[in-house]
Amino acid sequence: VTNGTPDSTVPTDLPVTLHVFSEMEETETYTTTLTADGSFGFDIPAPEAEDTIMARVVYQDVAYVSDFVTIEAEQTELDLPVTIYETTEFPDNIQVTQLHLFISRVEDGIQIGEYHMVGNAGDRTFVGIEDAEAEWRTTLNITLPDGAESLNFDGPGLGERFLEREDGFADTEPISPGEATSRILFSYELPYREGMQVERTFDAPVASVVILLSDEGLALEGEGVIPGDPMDTQMGPALSYTAGPLAAGSPLVFKLVAGSPAMPPTPAGVAPPRNTTREIAIGLTALAATVAAVYGMYRSPSPGPIPGQARPLVEKIAALDADFEAGRVAKKTYRKKRKALKREVRGLVGKMEKRKR
């Protein structure tokens, strides 16, 4: 275990938990503490070939995990480095590194899916600002357009990871250093009318925006919104657009109009100007995975079964709930422990999803 914040140390008594998975089901867990040099070891029976293991550390109420490593035949030793960070309450280094909007028609309205990839350019984990009323810290505020309804999350929703706000919701997930260490995926619906205008304003700077419009009878128009090439997606043919960068608080405004996007004419003999925002955003493989995730969220709004690897933590949450209801745990302690357990669940599932992709 190393500390990624300069001039910071690693506590020698820090607990480390080893998780062993077989075919996506958690089969064993082991716990130890760090030695004086920050290393840890588990002398355990050799897992089966093709099993997967991962190390997890909780430091200052934030869970950090190693990469998932698959055991190879006759392998007896593995390295599972984990990087922890000091924390900060200042959001100066927080940025939405990529924002994807997915727009489609639904009956008398439109559905907009948003995928925020949030990064931290600093060297400390941003744990958010204390919310005195909710006794939680919030890291990112999401403001929804006027008239938005049918809000749906891919994963934990309001009252779990997110806190409801009058004009939207707030995230409570800590944001560790890295380009895209936190992800938010949600959808909502708006009443449709021809020529309607959509305005989105964001709490943090946005480096790049990609918009996919799945309805061939519509197009987008807006200042700073650049039409791109059509794309084939799991939602069907889609028109693509790009925008950004946007400063914090600067609006992204576009209209939905009938017809196809108009590409600006290029003089003969002159190469079209490069759209580096589009090259960066669309060129990333995350876009294809995002389309699939949003498509699945549109088609399957109801939650599925609890992943096997998260079940022990979910059972701990259930036991904690029972203790709280029975009066055996104070309210503040209950909320703090429950929040920490849910973070661990999200970290586990997120790592497994990343590995599968």
Side-chain angles (χ1 to χ4, degrees):
V1 176
T2 57
N3 195 321
T5 303
D7 301 321
S8 298
T9 59
V10 177
T12 56
D13 59 347
L14 198 63
V16 183
T17 302
L18 182 73
H19 298 263
V20 182
F21 304 94
S22 179
E23 297 182 353
M24 300 298 292
E25 293 287 337
E26 186 172 53
T27 55
E28 298 286 349
T29 60
Y30 304 91
T31 302
T32 188
T33 54
L34 297 183
T35 62
D37 63 356
S39 64
F40 61 91
F42 295 90
D43 185 10
I44 62 174
E48 298 291 332
E50 304 302 322
D51 278 0
T52 300
I53 65 173
M54 175 270 290
R56 175 176 55 85
V57 173
V58 178
Y59 177 58
Q60 295 185 357
D61 293 330
V62 180
Y64 300 94
V65 296
S66 70
D67 287 335
F68 281 76
V69 177
T70 301
I71 306 295
E72 298 179 1
E74 300 182 2
Q75 189 172 15
T76 59
E77 294 185 1
L78 287 170
D79 290 327
L80 297 172
V82 180
T83 303
I84 63 175
Y85 298 91
E86 302 302 311
T87 61
T88 180
E89 298 179 353
F90 298 100
D92 308 40
N93 294 303
I94 303 305
Q95 180 185 52
V96 179
T97 53
Q98 293 184 65
L99 170 65
H100 302 295
L101 302 182
F102 304 87
I103 305 175
S104 61
R105 289 292 302 271
V106 287
E107 298 181 352
D108 296 329
I110 62 167
Q111 188 175 52
I112 299 180
E114 297 194 10
Y115 184 48
H116 297 235
M117 301 176 68
V118 187
N120 180 347
D123 54 27
R124 292 173 177 264
T125 295
F126 176 52
V127 293
I129 301 168
E130 188 78 40
D131 187 309
E133 182 178 347
E135 297 184 7
W136 285 7
R137 290 181 176 272
T138 58
T139 51
L140 198 65
N141 293 309
I142 304 292
T143 302
L144 298 175
D146 292 339
E149 56 186 20
S150 301
L151 178 63
N152 178 44
F153 292 89
D154 179 48
L158 297 177
E160 299 175 300
R161 171 177 174 178
F162 302 100
L163 298 181
E164 188 172 9
R165 293 283 191 258
E166 184 176 348
D167 56 357
F169 59 89
D171 191 10
T172 64
E173 184 82 9
I175 306 172
S176 301
E179 183 176 350
T181 53
S182 179
R183 292 172 168 79
I184 305 173
L185 177 57
F186 62 95
S187 70
Y188 52 88
E189 295 180 11
L190 294 171
Y192 173 75
R193 65 181 185 279
E194 188 174 349
M196 67 181 292
Q197 178 174 290
V198 178
E199 180 174 329
R200 302 293 294 112
T201 304
F202 306 99
D203 194 37
V206 180
S208 66
V209 181
V210 176
I211 307 173
L212 293 183
L213 177 62
S214 66
D215 194 303
E216 294 183 352
L218 294 176
L220 292 183
E221 292 181 354
E223 183 177 355
V225 177
I226 303 171
D229 297 329
M231 298 180 64
D232 290 324
T233 74
Q234 287 189 311
M235 295 186 292
L239 302 176
S240 67
Y241 303 82
T242 57
L246 302 171
S250 296
L252 169 68
V253 183
F254 56 84
K255 288 184 178 181
L256 287 170
V257 298
S260 301
M263 294 295 291
T266 301
V270 178
R274 290 183 62 190
N275 181 354
T276 54
T277 297
R278 180 178 184 278
E279 291 173 2
I280 293 171
I282 294 184
L284 294 173
T285 57
L287 181 58
T290 304
V291 173
V294 173
Y295 179 82
M297 184 169 66
Y298 284 174
R299 299 297 181 260
S300 304
S302 59
I306 298 171
Q309 71 271 24
R311 191 174 299 279
L313 290 172
V314 173
E315 290 174 352
K316 287 183 180 180
I317 292 173
L320 182 63
D321 290 343
D323 286 342
F324 175 69
E325 291 175 3
R328 292 189 291 268
V329 180
K331 182 178 180 180
K332 189 171 183 179
T333 301
Y334 163 72
R335 287 187 171 182
K336 184 176 181 180
K337 287 185 176 180
R338 197 175 198 278
K339 184 180 178 183
L341 285 169
K342 287 192 295 183
R343 284 177 180 169
E344 292 183 41
V345 172
R346 291 194 293 271
L348 277 171
V349 176
K351 277 285 186 176
M352 294 298 286
E353 290 299 319
K354 181 179 178 182
R355 179 177 175 272
K356 287 192 290 183
R357 289 198 295 268

